[in-house]
Amino acid sequence: MNIHEYQAKEIFRSHGMPVPPGEIATSPEAAAALAEEYGGRVVVKAQVHAGGRGKAGGVKLAAGPEEAAEAARAILGMQIKGLTVHKVLVTPAAEIASEAYVGIVMDRASQRPVFMVSAEGGIDIEEVARENPEAIHRQPIDPRYGLLNHQASRLAFHLYDDIGVVRQASDVLQRLWHAYEDSGATLAEVNPLVVTPDGDVVAIDAKMNIDDNELFRQPDIAAMRDEEAEASSERRAREAGLSYIKLDGNVGCCVNGAGLAMATMDLVKYYGGEPANFLDIGGSSNPDKVVAALSIIGEDPHVRSILFNIFGGITRCDDVANGIVEATDRLELDLPITIRLTGTNEEEGVAILEEHGFQAMIDMDEAVQRAVGAVS
Ligand code: GDP
Ligand code: MN
Protein backbone atom coordinates (compact mmCIF):
# COMPACT_ATOMS: atom_id res chain seq x y z
CA MET A 1 0.00 0.00 0.00
CA ASN A 2 1.16 3.48 -0.84
CA ILE A 3 0.90 6.25 1.71
CA HIS A 4 1.32 9.99 1.28
CA GLU A 5 4.39 12.03 2.15
CA TYR A 6 2.62 13.64 5.11
CA GLN A 7 1.67 10.22 6.47
CA ALA A 8 5.18 8.84 6.05
CA LYS A 9 6.42 11.96 7.85
CA GLU A 10 4.08 11.19 10.77
CA ILE A 11 5.65 7.74 11.02
CA PHE A 12 9.16 9.20 10.73
CA ARG A 13 8.34 11.77 13.44
CA SER A 14 7.04 9.07 15.78
CA HIS A 15 10.46 7.45 15.44
CA GLY A 16 12.20 10.67 16.37
CA MET A 17 13.47 11.61 12.91
CA PRO A 18 14.04 15.32 12.27
CA VAL A 19 11.05 16.22 10.09
CA PRO A 20 9.74 19.79 9.69
CA PRO A 21 6.18 20.42 10.92
CA GLY A 22 3.43 20.48 8.32
CA GLU A 23 -0.30 20.24 7.81
CA ILE A 24 -2.73 19.32 5.08
CA ALA A 25 -4.85 21.84 3.18
CA THR A 26 -7.60 21.11 0.67
CA SER A 27 -8.27 24.73 -0.32
CA PRO A 28 -6.18 27.82 -1.15
CA GLU A 29 -7.65 29.60 1.91
CA ALA A 30 -6.58 26.80 4.24
CA ALA A 31 -3.10 26.84 2.69
CA ALA A 32 -2.89 30.62 3.28
CA ALA A 33 -3.98 30.19 6.90
CA LEU A 34 -1.26 27.60 7.48
CA ALA A 35 1.35 29.84 5.87
CA GLU A 36 0.21 32.65 8.18
CA GLU A 37 0.56 30.34 11.18
CA TYR A 38 4.08 29.22 10.23
CA GLY A 39 5.20 32.72 9.21
CA GLY A 40 7.95 33.23 6.62
CA ARG A 41 8.52 31.00 3.60
CA VAL A 42 6.59 27.77 3.18
CA VAL A 43 6.53 24.95 0.65
CA VAL A 44 3.21 23.79 -0.81
CA LYS A 45 3.44 20.14 -1.89
CA ALA A 46 1.03 17.94 -3.86
CA GLN A 47 0.08 14.81 -1.93
CA VAL A 48 -0.23 12.08 -4.56
CA HIS A 49 1.15 8.58 -4.81
CA ALA A 50 3.75 9.53 -7.38
CA GLY A 51 7.37 10.64 -7.35
CA GLY A 52 8.83 13.50 -9.34
CA ARG A 53 6.25 15.98 -8.07
CA GLY A 54 8.83 18.75 -8.12
CA LYS A 55 9.50 18.31 -11.84
CA ALA A 56 5.76 18.15 -12.55
CA GLY A 57 5.14 21.50 -10.83
CA GLY A 58 3.60 19.93 -7.74
CA VAL A 59 6.08 21.44 -5.25
CA LYS A 60 6.13 25.24 -4.93
CA LEU A 61 7.93 27.64 -2.61
CA ALA A 62 5.81 30.52 -1.30
CA ALA A 63 7.04 33.68 0.41
CA GLY A 64 3.84 34.17 2.42
CA PRO A 65 0.10 33.47 2.74
CA GLU A 66 -0.85 35.01 -0.61
CA GLU A 67 1.71 33.05 -2.57
CA ALA A 68 0.78 29.91 -0.62
CA ALA A 69 -2.86 30.33 -1.68
CA GLU A 70 -1.75 30.87 -5.26
CA ALA A 71 0.45 27.76 -5.16
CA ALA A 72 -2.36 25.67 -3.66
CA ARG A 73 -4.75 26.94 -6.34
CA ALA A 74 -2.32 25.83 -9.03
CA ILE A 75 -1.58 22.43 -7.47
CA LEU A 76 -5.02 21.30 -6.22
CA GLY A 77 -6.80 19.52 -9.07
CA MET A 78 -3.57 19.12 -11.03
CA GLN A 79 -2.79 15.73 -12.59
CA ILE A 80 0.54 14.11 -11.80
CA LYS A 81 1.25 10.83 -13.59
CA GLY A 82 -2.47 10.35 -14.14
CA LEU A 83 -3.42 11.00 -10.51
CA THR A 84 -5.48 14.00 -9.43
CA VAL A 85 -4.19 16.10 -6.51
CA HIS A 86 -6.82 16.49 -3.77
CA LYS A 87 -4.56 17.61 -0.91
CA VAL A 88 -1.47 19.70 -0.38
CA LEU A 89 1.00 19.65 2.47
CA VAL A 90 2.01 23.10 3.74
CA THR A 91 5.32 23.10 5.57
CA PRO A 92 7.88 25.72 6.57
CA ALA A 93 10.59 25.95 3.90
CA ALA A 94 13.95 24.56 4.92
CA GLU A 95 17.21 26.28 3.98
CA ILE A 96 19.24 23.84 1.94
CA ALA A 97 23.04 23.58 1.91
CA SER A 98 23.17 20.04 0.51
CA GLU A 99 20.78 17.28 -0.61
CA ALA A 100 21.39 13.54 -0.24
CA TYR A 101 19.38 10.40 -0.90
CA VAL A 102 18.86 7.78 1.81
CA GLY A 103 16.52 4.85 1.49
CA ILE A 104 15.80 1.23 2.34
CA VAL A 105 14.24 -1.20 -0.10
CA MET A 106 13.35 -4.85 0.19
CA ASP A 107 15.78 -6.41 -2.26
CA ARG A 108 14.51 -9.70 -3.63
CA ALA A 109 17.87 -10.62 -5.13
CA SER A 110 19.71 -10.53 -1.81
CA GLN A 111 16.56 -11.53 0.09
CA ARG A 112 16.96 -8.77 2.63
CA PRO A 113 16.45 -5.07 3.10
CA VAL A 114 19.20 -2.97 1.55
CA PHE A 115 20.17 0.52 2.61
CA MET A 116 21.11 2.84 -0.22
CA VAL A 117 22.66 6.26 0.18
CA SER A 118 23.90 8.74 -2.37
CA ALA A 119 25.32 12.22 -2.18
CA GLU A 120 23.43 12.88 -5.41
CA GLY A 121 20.15 13.63 -3.68
CA GLY A 122 17.11 15.54 -4.81
CA ILE A 123 17.02 13.84 -8.20
CA ASP A 124 15.39 10.58 -9.17
CA ILE A 125 17.40 7.72 -7.68
CA GLU A 126 16.53 5.55 -10.70
CA GLU A 127 18.29 8.14 -12.84
CA VAL A 128 21.38 8.04 -10.61
CA ALA A 129 21.30 4.23 -10.73
CA ARG A 130 21.23 4.34 -14.51
CA GLU A 131 23.72 7.08 -15.22
CA ASN A 132 26.05 7.08 -12.26
CA PRO A 133 25.63 3.79 -10.39
CA GLU A 134 28.90 4.10 -8.49
CA ALA A 135 27.44 7.17 -6.73
CA ILE A 136 25.10 4.85 -4.81
CA HIS A 137 26.49 3.13 -1.76
CA ARG A 138 24.69 -0.04 -0.61
CA GLN A 139 24.49 -1.85 2.70
CA PRO A 140 22.47 -5.07 2.96
CA ILE A 141 20.85 -5.49 6.38
CA ASP A 142 20.69 -8.70 8.36
CA PRO A 143 17.16 -8.48 9.77
CA ARG A 144 18.27 -10.30 12.91
CA TYR A 145 20.53 -7.40 13.90
CA GLY A 146 19.11 -4.39 12.06
CA LEU A 147 21.39 -1.52 11.07
CA LEU A 148 24.50 -1.86 13.21
CA ASN A 149 26.25 1.23 14.54
CA HIS A 150 29.36 0.82 12.45
CA GLN A 151 27.24 0.31 9.32
CA ALA A 152 25.28 3.49 10.04
CA SER A 153 28.51 5.45 10.53
CA ARG A 154 30.01 4.09 7.34
CA LEU A 155 26.91 5.05 5.35
CA ALA A 156 26.92 8.53 6.88
CA PHE A 157 30.65 8.99 6.20
CA HIS A 158 29.91 8.13 2.61
CA LEU A 159 27.70 11.23 2.48
CA TYR A 160 29.43 13.74 4.75
CA ASP A 161 32.87 14.79 6.03
CA ASP A 162 31.87 16.86 9.03
CA ILE A 163 31.82 14.62 12.13
CA GLY A 164 28.91 16.51 13.69
CA VAL A 165 26.82 15.99 10.57
CA VAL A 166 27.94 12.36 10.33
CA ARG A 167 26.74 11.71 13.88
CA GLN A 168 23.36 13.27 13.21
CA ALA A 169 22.99 11.40 9.93
CA SER A 170 23.90 8.01 11.53
CA ASP A 171 21.19 8.63 14.08
CA VAL A 172 18.69 9.49 11.32
CA LEU A 173 19.61 6.28 9.47
CA GLN A 174 19.08 4.17 12.62
CA ARG A 175 15.68 5.75 13.15
CA LEU A 176 14.79 5.27 9.50
CA TRP A 177 15.60 1.60 9.90
CA HIS A 178 13.25 1.31 12.89
CA ALA A 179 10.50 3.17 11.03
CA TYR A 180 10.91 0.76 8.11
CA GLU A 181 10.99 -2.36 10.25
CA ASP A 182 8.22 -1.45 12.70
CA SER A 183 5.85 -0.45 9.88
CA GLY A 184 6.24 -3.56 7.75
CA ALA A 185 7.46 -1.40 4.91
CA THR A 186 8.92 -2.58 1.63
CA LEU A 187 10.37 0.87 0.98
CA ALA A 188 11.25 3.87 3.13
CA GLU A 189 13.15 6.75 1.64
CA VAL A 190 14.14 10.33 2.20
CA ASN A 191 14.99 12.25 -0.95
CA PRO A 192 16.33 14.72 -0.23
CA LEU A 193 17.82 14.42 3.24
CA VAL A 194 19.15 17.94 3.60
CA VAL A 195 21.82 19.65 5.64
CA THR A 196 20.90 23.23 6.47
CA PRO A 197 23.46 26.07 6.41
CA ASP A 198 23.52 25.73 10.24
CA GLY A 199 24.59 22.09 9.91
CA ASP A 200 21.28 20.48 10.90
CA VAL A 201 20.18 17.29 9.17
CA VAL A 202 16.48 17.37 8.15
CA ALA A 203 14.22 15.01 6.20
CA ILE A 204 12.20 17.26 3.90
CA ASP A 205 10.65 14.52 1.78
CA ALA A 206 9.34 11.10 2.81
CA LYS A 207 8.13 8.07 0.93
CA MET A 208 6.99 4.70 2.24
CA ASN A 209 5.36 1.64 0.75
CA ILE A 210 3.79 -0.81 3.16
CA ASP A 211 3.60 -4.53 2.49
CA ASP A 212 -0.10 -5.34 1.97
CA ASN A 213 0.41 -8.56 3.91
CA GLU A 214 1.44 -6.53 6.99
CA LEU A 215 -1.70 -4.42 7.13
CA PHE A 216 -3.65 -6.84 9.32
CA ARG A 217 -1.21 -6.20 12.15
CA GLN A 218 -0.67 -2.52 11.40
CA PRO A 219 -4.17 -1.09 12.00
CA ASP A 220 -2.89 2.49 12.40
CA ILE A 221 -1.17 2.33 9.04
CA ALA A 222 -4.03 0.44 7.37
CA ALA A 223 -6.27 3.36 8.42
CA MET A 224 -4.04 5.68 6.39
CA ARG A 225 -5.38 4.26 3.14
CA ASP A 226 -6.60 7.14 1.00
CA GLU A 227 -9.10 5.70 -1.46
CA GLU A 228 -9.51 9.03 -3.17
CA ALA A 229 -5.81 8.96 -4.06
CA GLU A 230 -5.77 5.47 -5.53
CA ALA A 231 -6.14 4.97 -9.26
CA SER A 232 -9.82 4.03 -9.65
CA SER A 233 -8.93 0.82 -11.49
CA GLU A 234 -6.73 -0.30 -8.62
CA ARG A 235 -9.36 0.49 -6.00
CA ARG A 236 -12.06 -1.39 -7.91
CA ALA A 237 -9.78 -4.37 -8.44
CA ARG A 238 -8.99 -4.52 -4.74
CA GLU A 239 -12.68 -4.29 -3.84
CA ALA A 240 -13.49 -7.10 -6.29
CA GLY A 241 -10.72 -9.27 -4.85
CA LEU A 242 -8.60 -9.19 -8.02
CA SER A 243 -4.84 -8.78 -8.18
CA TYR A 244 -4.39 -6.08 -10.79
CA ILE A 245 -1.38 -4.05 -11.84
CA LYS A 246 -1.72 -1.59 -14.68
CA LEU A 247 1.06 -1.55 -17.26
CA ASP A 248 1.73 0.53 -20.36
CA GLY A 249 0.88 -1.88 -23.19
CA ASN A 250 -2.31 -2.47 -25.18
CA VAL A 251 -3.12 -6.19 -24.80
CA GLY A 252 -5.46 -6.52 -21.82
CA CYS A 253 -4.87 -9.82 -20.02
CA CYS A 254 -7.41 -11.61 -17.86
CA VAL A 255 -5.92 -14.76 -16.36
CA ASN A 256 -6.57 -17.10 -13.47
CA GLY A 257 -3.51 -17.66 -11.32
CA ALA A 258 -0.50 -15.41 -10.80
CA GLY A 259 1.95 -17.83 -12.41
CA LEU A 260 -0.20 -18.23 -15.51
CA ALA A 261 -0.66 -14.46 -15.62
CA MET A 262 3.12 -14.00 -15.66
CA ALA A 263 3.54 -16.70 -18.32
CA THR A 264 0.83 -15.03 -20.40
CA MET A 265 2.56 -11.67 -20.20
CA ASP A 266 5.85 -13.29 -21.20
CA LEU A 267 4.18 -14.88 -24.19
CA VAL A 268 2.48 -11.63 -25.22
CA LYS A 269 5.92 -10.02 -25.28
CA TYR A 270 7.44 -13.03 -27.03
CA TYR A 271 4.97 -12.61 -29.87
CA GLY A 272 5.74 -8.90 -30.17
CA GLY A 273 2.92 -7.45 -28.08
CA GLU A 274 2.88 -5.41 -24.89
CA PRO A 275 0.65 -6.43 -21.98
CA ALA A 276 -1.64 -3.67 -20.68
CA ASN A 277 -1.86 -5.20 -17.25
CA PHE A 278 -1.25 -8.04 -14.89
CA LEU A 279 -4.59 -9.42 -13.74
CA ASP A 280 -5.24 -12.51 -11.71
CA ILE A 281 -8.91 -13.33 -11.19
CA GLY A 282 -7.87 -15.91 -8.62
CA GLY A 283 -8.85 -19.52 -8.18
CA SER A 284 -12.52 -19.18 -7.37
CA SER A 285 -15.46 -19.70 -9.71
CA ASN A 286 -17.21 -16.37 -9.45
CA PRO A 287 -18.72 -14.82 -12.61
CA ASP A 288 -18.87 -11.43 -10.83
CA LYS A 289 -15.09 -11.38 -10.74
CA VAL A 290 -14.96 -11.83 -14.49
CA VAL A 291 -17.42 -8.98 -14.96
CA ALA A 292 -15.33 -6.73 -12.70
CA ALA A 293 -12.11 -7.75 -14.43
CA LEU A 294 -13.44 -7.11 -17.91
CA SER A 295 -14.85 -3.74 -16.96
CA ILE A 296 -11.55 -2.67 -15.37
CA ILE A 297 -9.53 -3.78 -18.40
CA GLY A 298 -12.04 -2.25 -20.81
CA GLU A 299 -11.79 1.13 -19.09
CA ASP A 300 -8.08 1.44 -19.84
CA PRO A 301 -8.03 3.64 -22.97
CA HIS A 302 -4.79 2.01 -24.19
CA VAL A 303 -6.29 -1.47 -24.46
CA ARG A 304 -6.79 -2.55 -28.10
CA SER A 305 -7.29 -6.29 -27.63
CA ILE A 306 -8.38 -8.46 -24.72
CA LEU A 307 -7.03 -11.90 -24.00
CA PHE A 308 -8.58 -14.39 -21.60
CA ASN A 309 -6.30 -17.20 -20.58
CA ILE A 310 -8.08 -19.61 -18.28
CA PHE A 311 -6.77 -22.90 -17.02
CA GLY A 312 -9.61 -24.54 -15.17
CA GLY A 313 -8.54 -26.27 -12.00
CA ILE A 314 -10.65 -25.09 -9.09
CA THR A 315 -11.87 -22.40 -11.46
CA ARG A 316 -14.52 -23.90 -13.70
CA CYS A 317 -14.49 -23.02 -17.37
CA ASP A 318 -18.30 -22.82 -17.56
CA ASP A 319 -18.34 -20.20 -14.77
CA VAL A 320 -15.75 -18.13 -16.55
CA ALA A 321 -17.65 -18.52 -19.82
CA ASN A 322 -20.84 -17.32 -18.11
CA GLY A 323 -18.91 -14.39 -16.65
CA ILE A 324 -17.59 -13.44 -20.09
CA VAL A 325 -21.08 -13.63 -21.63
CA GLU A 326 -22.57 -11.61 -18.79
CA ALA A 327 -19.81 -9.03 -18.83
CA THR A 328 -19.89 -8.49 -22.59
CA ASP A 329 -23.69 -8.14 -22.37
CA ARG A 330 -23.51 -5.56 -19.63
CA LEU A 331 -20.52 -3.58 -20.86
CA GLU A 332 -20.43 -2.07 -24.27
CA LEU A 333 -16.98 -3.22 -25.25
CA ASP A 334 -15.91 -2.49 -28.77
CA LEU A 335 -12.72 -4.54 -28.57
CA PRO A 336 -11.62 -7.87 -30.04
CA ILE A 337 -11.68 -10.57 -27.37
CA THR A 338 -9.63 -13.74 -27.65
CA ILE A 339 -10.48 -16.56 -25.29
CA ARG A 340 -8.34 -19.51 -24.38
CA LEU A 341 -10.12 -21.92 -22.10
CA THR A 342 -9.04 -25.35 -20.98
CA GLY A 343 -9.41 -27.68 -18.01
CA THR A 344 -12.31 -28.33 -15.64
CA ASN A 345 -15.69 -28.18 -17.44
CA GLU A 346 -13.98 -27.14 -20.64
CA GLU A 347 -16.68 -28.62 -22.90
CA GLU A 348 -19.47 -26.82 -21.09
CA GLY A 349 -17.51 -23.58 -21.18
CA VAL A 350 -16.77 -23.84 -24.89
CA ALA A 351 -20.43 -24.65 -25.59
CA ILE A 352 -21.65 -21.59 -23.66
CA LEU A 353 -19.21 -19.34 -25.51
CA GLU A 354 -20.06 -20.72 -28.94
CA GLU A 355 -23.76 -20.34 -28.23
CA HIS A 356 -23.07 -16.64 -27.77
CA GLY A 357 -20.97 -16.20 -30.84
CA PHE A 358 -17.51 -16.47 -29.29
CA GLN A 359 -14.82 -18.80 -30.47
CA ALA A 360 -12.92 -20.53 -27.70
CA MET A 361 -9.35 -21.65 -28.23
CA ILE A 362 -7.50 -24.40 -26.43
CA ASP A 363 -3.88 -23.70 -27.38
CA MET A 364 -2.18 -20.93 -25.43
CA ASP A 365 0.40 -20.02 -28.10
CA GLU A 366 -2.23 -19.67 -30.77
CA ALA A 367 -4.49 -17.61 -28.55
CA VAL A 368 -1.71 -15.22 -27.55
CA GLN A 369 -0.63 -14.78 -31.17
CA ARG A 370 -4.19 -14.03 -32.19
CA ALA A 371 -4.67 -11.51 -29.35
CA VAL A 372 -1.42 -9.74 -30.25
CA GLY A 373 -2.40 -9.75 -33.93
CA ALA A 374 -5.83 -8.29 -33.10
CA VAL A 375 -4.26 -5.01 -31.92
CA SER A 376 -5.05 -2.44 -34.57
P1 GDP B 1 9.53 15.13 -5.26
O1 GDP B 1 9.92 15.91 -6.47
O2 GDP B 1 8.18 14.49 -5.44
O3 GDP B 1 10.55 14.15 -4.85
O4 GDP B 1 9.33 16.20 -4.05
P2 GDP B 1 10.42 16.78 -2.99
O5 GDP B 1 9.78 16.91 -1.69
O6 GDP B 1 11.67 15.97 -3.01
O7 GDP B 1 10.72 18.24 -3.56
C1 GDP B 1 11.38 18.45 -4.78
C2 GDP B 1 12.44 19.50 -4.63
O8 GDP B 1 11.86 20.72 -4.18
C3 GDP B 1 13.51 19.18 -3.61
O9 GDP B 1 14.53 18.37 -4.13
C4 GDP B 1 14.00 20.56 -3.23
O10 GDP B 1 14.98 20.98 -4.15
C5 GDP B 1 12.76 21.42 -3.37
N1 GDP B 1 12.21 21.63 -2.01
C6 GDP B 1 11.32 20.84 -1.37
N2 GDP B 1 11.13 21.26 -0.11
C7 GDP B 1 11.92 22.34 0.06
C8 GDP B 1 12.21 23.22 1.16
O11 GDP B 1 11.68 23.10 2.27
N3 GDP B 1 13.09 24.22 0.93
C9 GDP B 1 13.70 24.41 -0.27
N4 GDP B 1 14.56 25.41 -0.40
N5 GDP B 1 13.48 23.59 -1.32
C10 GDP B 1 12.61 22.57 -1.16
MN1 MN C 1 11.73 13.84 -3.29
Side-chain angles (χ1 to χ4, degrees), residues 53 191-192 205:
R53 295 163 303 164
N191 187 24
D205 192 11

Side-chain angles (χ1 to χ4, degrees), residues 169-357:
S170 325
D171 182 61
V172 169
L173 295 174
Q174 294 280 15
R175 291 175 189 278
L176 181 64
W177 166 256
H178 289 296
Y180 172 91
E181 198 188 27
D182 293 353
S183 310
T186 53
L187 175 134
E189 66 175 33
V190 181
N191 187 24
L193 181 70
V194 307
V195 180
T196 68
D198 294 339
D200 293 326
V201 175
V202 188
I204 66 165
D205 192 11
K207 182 170 159 62
M208 285 184 102
N209 286 341
I210 311 296
D211 187 338
D212 287 335
N213 297 313
E214 282 273 349
L215 293 175
F216 79 98
R217 59 177 177 192
Q218 305 281 350
D220 294 349
I221 297 177
M224 290 180 173
R225 185 185 293 284
D226 181 0
E227 298 205 336
E228 194 181 46
E230 289 179 315
S232 85
S233 56
E234 282 172 16
R235 186 188 64 242
R236 290 176 52 211
R238 184 167 46 74
E239 285 165 359
L242 307 165
S243 306
Y244 170 84
I245 294 164
K246 186 178 155 22
L247 301 166
D248 297 329
N250 50 22
V251 181
C253 302
C254 185
V255 186
N256 70 313
L260 188 60
M262 302 286 262
T264 306
M265 290 159 60
D266 279 347
L267 217 50
V268 166
K269 279 193 159 283
Y270 179 78
Y271 286 118
E274 284 296 332
N277 61 277
F278 168 95
L279 192 152
D280 173 13
I281 61 168
S284 83
S285 297
N286 181 349
D288 285 345
K289 280 198 175 179
V290 180
V291 177
L294 202 52
S295 104
I296 290 164
I297 293 175
E299 258 180 26
D300 177 347
H302 298 118
V303 171
R304 291 276 164 275
S305 162
I306 295 177
L307 168 65
F308 275 87
N309 188 9
I310 304 298
F311 185 86
I314 302 169
T315 305
R316 297 187 344 228
C317 292
D318 52 334
D319 279 335
V320 175
N322 280 325
I324 294 172
V325 170
E326 197 180 323
T328 45
D329 263 359
R330 267 205 248 163
L331 312 162
E332 275 174 36
L333 282 177
D334 198 15
L335 292 166
I337 299 181
T338 309
I339 305 164
R340 183 259 180 159
L341 199 64
T342 193
T344 309
N345 290 4
E346 174 182 316
E347 279 170 26
E348 291 89 331
V350 170
I352 291 166
L353 288 171
E354 286 180 347
E355 218 173 280
H356 290 83

